[in-house]
Amino acid sequence: MRVAHVITRLILGGAQENTLFNCEDLLRHYGDEVLLITGPAVGPEGSLLERAERSGVPLAVIPALQRAIHPWHDWRASGQLKRVLREFRPDVVHTHSAKGGLLGRAAAWRLGVPAVIHTVHGAPYYPYQSKLAQKFIYVCERWAAKRCDALISVADAMTEMLVRDGVAPREKFTTIYSGMEVDPFLHGEQHRQRMRAELGFGSEVFVIGKIARLFHLKGHEFVIAAAKQVVKLRSDVRFLFVGDGILREQLEREVRDAGLSAYFHFAGLVPPEQIPAYLSAMDALVHTSLREGLARALPQALISGKPALSYDIDGAREVVITDETGILLPPQEVDGLAAAIVRLAANRDEAARMGAEGRRRFADVFRHERMTERIRSVYERVLDSKDVERKAQSRAGDALLL
């Protein structure tokens, strides 16, 4: 096959890693021709462009393809997308993210690409937006859904939401969990002693980690608020924030003003290949985001044998099962989060049991090879159906001539 992926930015993020693994697998395991089309990777979140180049994934960077809505840039990006796709002549265009998904599907549809696929990595519209923004994005998504052949959700929660809201019919959706390199997480404990020493965590402390960009709606402020309660009851708890972003100075100031500096460590930007080592230093993962499809950090923690404390948003409940693999909490809940942290810190055997159960359930579910196999089967299904349709139309035309 000739497969073109379109994504707005190739920054360090779940959707981006998912897409890059898919491209690499298609090249290595199936011998497909692949082109990854993206905009500039700018910002403090880091970039995956160098990794894509090292792994031999062909790239086309479109400067006008940017995350923010900008009519002039968007019009130019649309034209550039069509030119790139026209030259590549793909059998499949697979789009990701809001801007890349909208412009990519529109361009592929207008060019008559045989199979147009879109992955929903997270809710495209959500309650924390203005009503006007929600309505605008909803209309765009419904329009774009009619211009693709299949939709892939990274969690059942995404499918349920978009079907309920009438964005697309259920038969258009397939749930395929976002894949990753699983083995480093299975063997991450070999790094634990070294990492805890480097981070300044003694063997006696219970480390609560959060892996996320320091950005709006990621919920770091709820962890800080809960920490104020936790340290009054458990002086042996520490907090580790892994990630960087525009809110770093603000969050560091909040920690400092609360007198919690001795309890927090900001690790900054960490390359994806180092995440297993950082997880090894943790005793539990906390996930307090208010908007997420299915955060990669959750299965990564569980596969690493760490329990997860998560707000009940989007696909989190598909992997975080209370008292089995972790504890699920209502969004923005602070008192309950603090109580859950204290509970695990006081019952470390229980925390270990939950982590072990998470590893048992999900180690094989999230392998990137399995993800790519299922995604490619969607491509094949769509292309086969189009081939059958073309043959039927040809037979109908022959019958009319006779």
Side-chain angles (χ1 to χ4, degrees):
M1 295 184 193
R2 296 172 67 86
V3 182
H5 280 267
V6 182
I7 192 165
T8 310
R9 302 184 298 167
L10 209 59
I11 60 169
L12 287 180
Q16 291 77 14
E17 284 188 56
N18 167 307
T19 303
L20 192 48
F21 271 127
N22 191 205
C23 290
E24 292 168 347
D25 287 346
L26 291 173
L27 284 166
R28 293 172 186 168
H29 303 309
Y30 298 93
D32 293 329
E33 294 183 59
V34 175
L35 179 64
L36 178 51
I37 306 169
T38 183
V42 294
E45 300 92 347
S47 170
L48 287 172
L49 283 171
E50 287 186 4
R51 175 183 149 184
E53 291 168 351
R54 286 197 307 270
S55 62
V57 174
L59 288 166
V61 179
I62 295 179
L65 184 55
Q66 301 174 12
R67 187 168 184 257
I69 295 174
H70 190 293
W72 169 242
H73 290 317
D74 297 344
W75 180 79
R76 290 179 59 220
S78 179
Q80 291 166 5
L81 263 172
K82 281 188 277 190
R83 280 195 294 275
V84 171
L85 291 175
R86 195 178 289 115
E87 290 175 7
F88 184 61
R89 299 179 64 221
D91 303 302
V92 179
V93 168
H94 187 166
T95 66
H96 311 262
S97 63
K99 180 68 72 68
L102 180 64
L103 297 183
R105 280 180 280 180
W109 173 69
R110 288 177 179 133
L111 291 173
V113 173
V116 184
I117 317 294
H118 177 68
T119 289
V120 182
H121 293 276
Y125 48 90
Y126 48 93
Y128 306 99
Q129 291 172 311
S130 69
K131 293 293 183 184
L132 182 61
Q134 289 182 52
K135 181 65 176 177
F136 174 73
I137 296 170
Y138 168 79
V139 170
C140 289
E141 286 296 324
R142 191 169 182 183
W143 181 88
K146 293 177 180 176
R147 285 152 182 83
C148 68
D149 300 291
L151 291 155
I152 295 171
S153 297
V154 299
D156 291 332
M158 299 295 93
T159 298
E160 295 304 322
M161 171 189 165
L162 297 177
V163 169
R164 178 198 68 208
D165 293 348
V167 171
R170 187 175 298 277
E171 58 268 21
K172 215 164 192 176
F173 288 90
T174 303
T175 296
I176 302 175
Y177 287 138
S178 186
M180 61 193 71
E181 194 73 63
V182 165
D183 289 345
F185 295 99
L186 291 174
H187 304 294
E189 287 303 286
Q190 63 186 306
H191 306 291
R192 181 175 174 84
Q193 189 173 350
R194 172 182 62 84
M195 287 301 300
R196 285 176 74 102
E198 287 182 10
L199 296 167
F201 298 139
S203 58
E204 77 286 355
V205 301
F206 192 84
V207 179
I208 299 290
K210 179 168 173 58
I211 303 172
R213 289 184 296 141
L214 307 184
F215 201 72
H216 302 290
L217 300 179
K218 293 296 184 180
H220 294 84
E221 67 272 23
F222 303 119
V223 181
I224 297 171
K228 296 176 185 178
Q229 300 181 32
V230 171
V231 299
K232 293 176 182 177
L233 301 170
R234 302 284 313 191
S235 61
D236 60 344
V237 175
R238 298 293 183 271
F239 297 87
L240 172 61
F241 282 173
V242 178
D244 207 345
I246 61 173
L247 297 183
R248 178 160 184 169
E249 287 187 12
Q250 176 184 321
L251 293 169
E252 288 179 329
R253 185 170 59 252
E254 287 181 21
V255 168
R256 189 169 56 249
D257 292 347
L260 296 172
S261 296
Y263 297 92
F264 275 81
H265 183 96
F266 286 77
L269 193 64
V270 170
E273 59 270 18
Q274 292 183 21
I275 293 297
Y278 277 85
L279 272 164
S280 75
M282 303 174 192
D283 295 291
L285 180 96
V286 65
H287 179 64
T288 50
S289 186
L290 299 178
R291 178 201 176 211
E292 208 85 45
L294 176 52
R296 292 169 77 77
L298 289 174
Q300 285 173 347
L302 295 172
I303 295 166
S304 298
K306 314 295 179 179
L309 310 175
S310 177
Y311 284 162
D312 186 6
I313 55 104
D314 300 334
R317 63 172 54 194
E318 295 172 36
V319 293
V320 181
I321 300 98
T322 295
D323 295 333
E324 295 186 30
T325 64
I327 301 173
L328 208 59
L329 300 154
Q332 304 188 56
E333 171 65 39
V334 171
D335 293 346
L337 177 61
I341 293 171
V342 169
R343 170 185 165 184
L344 292 188
N347 299 278
R348 302 190 184 194
D349 288 345
E350 181 185 25
R353 175 187 60 78
M354 291 180 183
E357 178 62 13
R359 170 178 286 182
R360 185 190 69 79
R361 289 193 186 205
F362 299 114
D364 289 327
V365 173
F366 286 89
R367 293 186 183 276
H368 65 83
E369 297 91 346
R370 180 172 179 174
M371 172 194 74
T372 298
E373 180 183 12
R374 296 194 63 209
I375 288 174
R376 201 174 187 278
S377 71
V378 173
Y379 300 167
E380 291 173 341
R381 187 181 75 232
V382 171
L383 289 171
D384 287 348
S385 69
K386 292 292 185 73
D387 189 45
V388 169
E389 185 179 320
R390 282 194 296 270
K391 288 178 180 177
Q393 290 173 346
S394 176
R395 287 195 297 270
D398 293 343
L400 286 173
L401 291 174
L402 291 172

